[in-house]
Amino acid sequence: MLDVSDAVRAEIGEAEAERLLAGENAPGDYDCTSCRTRGNTDRERTSTVLFVGEETAVLAFAHAACIPSQVVTVAEDQLQGAVRTITANETAPPAGHTTPPPASAP
């Protein structure tokens, strides 16, 4: 139920587009890049949105009802900031999880 526009397909290549459509690289659950609510590529039509900077590209997903599959050009610094945020969120402890403080020396 994944939409890959011709523009996105041209940027990522035919082989990657086919892997996405076959479900090999599709995320399953995702946060919609438009409305920020949860979506699922197996249960609802989903658009691929490719954010492209000067040196970096990030593939995101959105509800097809929110926005169509497309390529969006963004400033490289904005894209790098988004990548840092995504990377930090992937390595952060789950919400509600706290790290115990270090033991104090006697």
Side-chain angles (χ1 to χ4, degrees), residues 79-91:
L79 200 51
Q80 287 294 329
V83 169
R84 281 190 295 276
T85 300
I86 291 166
T87 304
N89 287 341
E90 288 176 351
T91 59

Side-chain angles (χ1 to χ4, degrees), residues 34-51:
S34 179
C35 73
R36 304 287 185 211
T37 61
R38 297 295 287 169
N40 184 288
T41 57
D42 295 326
R43 294 191 300 254
E44 55 198 312
R45 294 196 59 78
T46 301
S47 295
T48 52
V49 182
L50 185 65
F51 293 96

Side-chain angles (χ1 to χ4, degrees), residues 3-106:
D3 292 334
V4 181
S5 68
D6 291 342
V8 171
R9 187 180 293 264
E11 290 288 331
I12 66 173
E14 191 63 35
E16 181 62 22
E18 290 304 317
R19 282 191 290 273
L20 280 168
L21 292 169
E24 292 176 32
N25 294 343
D29 291 328
Y30 63 91
D31 289 328
C32 176
T33 196
S34 179
C35 73
R36 304 287 185 211
T37 61
R38 297 295 287 169
N40 184 288
T41 57
D42 295 326
R43 294 191 300 254
E44 55 198 312
R45 294 196 59 78
T46 301
S47 295
T48 52
V49 182
L50 185 65
F51 293 96
V52 178
E54 292 174 22
E55 298 178 12
T56 309
V58 174
L59 186 63
F61 300 89
H63 301 109
C66 290
I67 57 174
S69 176
Q70 60 188 295
V71 175
V72 178
T73 303
V74 295
E76 183 68 22
D77 60 333
Q78 289 179 309
L79 200 51
Q80 287 294 329
V83 169
R84 281 190 295 276
T85 300
I86 291 166
T87 304
N89 287 341
E90 288 176 351
T91 59
H97 176 78
T98 57
T99 304
S104 57

